[in-house]
Amino acid sequence: MNQTPPPPPPSGDPPLPGDGGEEFAPPLPPPGDEGEEEGGHRPSYAYATRKPVAYLPVVLRERHIGYLWAGVITDAAGFVRFPDAVDHALKAPETWSDRLADASGRGVPALQAIRSWIGAPEHPEGGAVPADAVERYASSTTELWESVDPSLVDPVLDAMLPLDGEFPDGTPVDRSHGWGPLEMRLPPGYPETTGDGPVRYLTAVQGDLHLGYVWASEDAASFVERADAALAGQVARGAWRLRLRELFEQGVPPAEVLERCAAMPDDPQAGTPLPDIEQAPSLRALADWAGRYQQSMPLARPPRPDDLEAWRRPGLPPEERDAVLRYLRGAPVVFDGGLAPDAFAPDRPERVPDVHRTDGVWIWSEAVAHHLQHHGITPEPGLLEHIRANGHRVPPTAAEAVPWALTTLTMHGVLRHPPV
């Protein structure tokens, strides 16, 4: 019988187990042979979730038998066994069910519970999580189960049953929390992607600020905003897409779009199109140009609990993590907004510094440092690469950029001009 487990879903390296949340709940005692309470089934964590999950390998007598998993932002946890490990680990699901029920009964968060078993002694029937286990992530229990045993997934039930307090379409089970997500259907318009050939474009401006580019090819047309135009660029994107849909409804072919756009009047949201029609080698080249920062600084925001990409970022070794923390907390302060709640621990009092700092090139929320220290989530790749390029030392001229950083925060809506 093939004992090689199926490949796990795409994943990244883990947050450091020592920073995953130990200060948010008391640690578990050494795992033992927890059993079922007299009288039958005990309440435990939710059995599934549509939100991201972390999972750890479980080994029994030197054989990989399955995964112990927990919700990253939901109180769900469980064990999933490989189908070819049934004879080898017959009672493993029951063992882990009992252990998880015991942890849940003591109020231990699900993610902390599974981390507490890393390196613990092997249970004779449930197995063990190796001390060098790598914590990996999946977008949901469905993704994890499909990689282990597709027979565990029932598409019909998955499309019907509520999980995480919501139906599959996002409608809350408790209607006091709302009546479901808003749905917006855009009218038909030009295709917004094209091939690798050249595209023509117009530049839209708002005073001295370049908002982005209205572009067209022989078969498509759209708008790409400049990243350094911040909120104004995003607003302009919406305004230009509405204009382009109006041209589509009028039957204007894509090849004639730019001439019509060049004649459009100034608009407080769409801005003013410059008169010259230019050409880029490709849409990708135009998008790369739009992504460069010249009018403002890149702003690193704190990670969101439901951002699977953030959880999958490779962890940092302790020495570099400390150096990155010193960098993030040692740069000049641009704006201090006090304290804010921790989205990863919403039941805790406000504890995250609502402070923005700059090194003269990037701006970041100090929550980035908080989540690195307390949740093991590394900064976004661009910021981390920049810190490494600086040798983990804040440039001595960083303070000179504070006025520009304040302008950037205003452009992003973090700061607002006082009312007149």
Side-chain angles (χ1 to χ4, degrees):
M1 180 179 293
N2 180 16
Q3 297 185 359
T4 303
S11 57
D13 292 334
L16 298 175
D19 290 329
E22 288 82 353
E23 65 182 279
F24 297 124
L28 284 170
D33 189 5
E34 299 90 351
E36 195 172 74
E37 280 184 355
E38 185 177 352
H41 177 74
R42 290 180 292 170
S44 187
Y45 305 107
Y47 73 95
T49 177
R50 293 189 178 94
K51 308 295 184 182
V53 297
Y55 60 97
L56 296 164
V58 177
V59 175
L60 177 63
R61 295 188 293 278
E62 300 183 352
R63 179 175 170 182
H64 187 190
I65 62 171
Y67 293 110
L68 187 64
W69 64 266
V72 168
I73 58 172
T74 56
D75 212 30
F79 170 78
V80 56
R81 180 180 57 194
F82 294 125
D84 63 359
V86 173
D87 293 339
H88 188 81
L90 181 64
K91 293 188 176 182
E94 180 182 353
T95 299
W96 286 111
S97 177
D98 288 341
R99 286 180 154 190
L100 290 167
D102 180 79
S104 174
R106 288 184 282 109
V108 180
L111 186 58
Q112 185 185 339
I114 70 166
R115 285 173 171 171
S116 72
W117 278 294
I118 297 175
E122 181 171 310
H123 187 282
E125 294 177 323
V129 178
D132 60 351
V134 174
E135 185 174 292
R136 301 185 183 277
Y137 303 93
S139 62
S140 65
T141 47
T142 296
E143 181 183 331
L144 175 60
W145 293 344
E146 284 180 339
S147 74
V148 173
D149 183 359
S151 68
L152 296 174
V153 179
D154 186 330
V156 176
L157 287 177
D158 191 51
M160 296 172 55
L161 294 178
L163 290 174
D164 313 312
E166 297 176 345
F167 289 100
D169 68 352
T171 300
V173 174
D174 183 349
R175 294 304 173 88
S176 68
H177 295 162
W179 288 86
L182 296 176
E183 181 178 355
M184 181 178 67
R185 296 183 181 180
L186 296 174
Y190 300 109
E192 297 188 342
T193 59
T194 189
D196 293 330
V199 297
R200 301 189 306 149
Y201 67 92
L202 284 169
T203 302
V205 301
Q206 191 177 72
D208 294 331
L209 182 66
H210 285 218
L211 299 172
Y213 309 104
V214 190
W215 64 267
S217 64
E218 292 297 320
D219 59 356
S222 189
F223 179 86
V224 55
E225 74 273 21
R226 286 195 60 92
D228 58 7
L231 288 179
Q234 297 169 27
V235 171
R237 176 186 60 192
W240 277 107
R241 285 182 171 175
L242 289 175
R243 286 180 162 188
L244 291 170
R245 285 194 172 86
E246 291 175 359
L247 294 178
F248 179 84
E249 292 172 356
Q250 296 169 18
V252 178
E256 300 177 14
V257 160
L258 295 184
E259 285 74 14
R260 298 288 292 269
C261 289
M264 290 183 177
D266 298 351
D267 179 85
Q269 294 183 331
T272 304
L274 296 181
D276 295 334
I277 297 177
E278 303 179 77
Q279 182 169 296
S282 65
L283 178 57
R284 177 175 295 181
L286 183 63
D288 288 344
W289 175 253
R292 299 180 183 179
Y293 279 85
Q294 297 175 313
Q295 306 175 111
S296 66
M297 297 181 181
L299 171 62
R301 298 182 182 273
R304 303 187 315 274
D306 61 348
D307 184 354
L308 190 60
E309 182 278 327
W311 284 101
R312 284 176 169 167
R313 294 172 191 164
L316 300 179
E319 288 186 5
E320 185 179 19
R321 184 194 63 181
D322 292 344
V324 170
L325 285 172
R326 286 193 297 269
Y327 191 104
L328 294 172
R329 289 173 170 154
V333 172
V334 178
F335 173 74
D336 187 344
L339 294 175
D342 185 343
F344 291 78
D347 296 334
R348 302 281 295 182
E350 294 186 347
R351 52 175 291 131
V352 181
D354 186 16
V355 175
H356 286 81
R357 297 178 180 271
T358 186
D359 63 0
V361 176
W362 275 79
I363 307 173
W364 58 86
S365 163
E366 196 163 314
V368 173
H370 173 90
H371 293 305
L372 171 60
Q373 178 178 2
H374 297 284
H375 304 296
I377 300 176
T378 59
E380 61 184 76
L383 175 57
L384 182 59
E385 291 172 7
H386 173 71
I387 293 173
R388 287 170 172 168
N390 281 343
H392 300 88
R393 294 181 181 275
V394 178
T397 58
E400 299 173 7
V402 167
W404 190 26
L406 285 168
T407 299
T408 297
L409 292 180
T410 301
M411 292 173 63
H412 280 277
V414 177
L415 301 181
R416 298 184 181 276
H417 293 293
V420 178

